[in-house]
Each structure stands twice: as C-alpha cells, then as structure tokens.
Amino acid sequence: MPEQVAQLLAGARVSVSVQSKKSLQSFSATNITGMALKVSGPDGDLLEYRQADDWAYPRAAVKPLEKAAGS
C-alpha cells in the first residue's frame, strides 16, 4: 500500500446514517428510505454517497482527493 493511501486511511473519518420507515425493533432492509455514507479526511469531505428512495447521489471532492493521493 502506498504511504499516501495509508496516511489517508489512518486519518479518515467515516460517517454512516440510515433512515427507516419503522423503528429499530422491527427494522429490515426493505424498510430503508434513505442512507448516507461520508468519508472525510483532515482537509474536509472526500467522498459522499446518499440514497433517498430510488435516487442515488454520489459526490467526490476532487482537489482534496488529489492532495491526499499526492497528485
């Protein structure tokens, strides 16, 4: 693994959230109405994926990713 990637992973923060129609007691994968996954580094957000119903929204911060990769 390249050193830049190892440093990025070591300093990364991952945030996950899920929204459901029902409570956690009766939760199943078919009840999910939305979800989000965000990966952040020391310079801010790097990648984000959101899903709301049937729509998906990916996002990438190109400049911070380039800096993290050493490009």
Side-chain angles (χ1 to χ4, degrees), residues 24 32 36 59 69:
L24 288 176
I32 294 175
R59 183 175 70 94

Side-chain angles (χ1 to χ4, degrees), residues 14-17 35-39 47-51:
V14 177
S15 173
V16 177
S17 64
M35 64 167 280
L37 169 72
K38 186 187 323 184
V39 179
L47 301 168
E48 185 173 6
Y49 174 82
R50 291 178 180 255
Q51 179 182 348

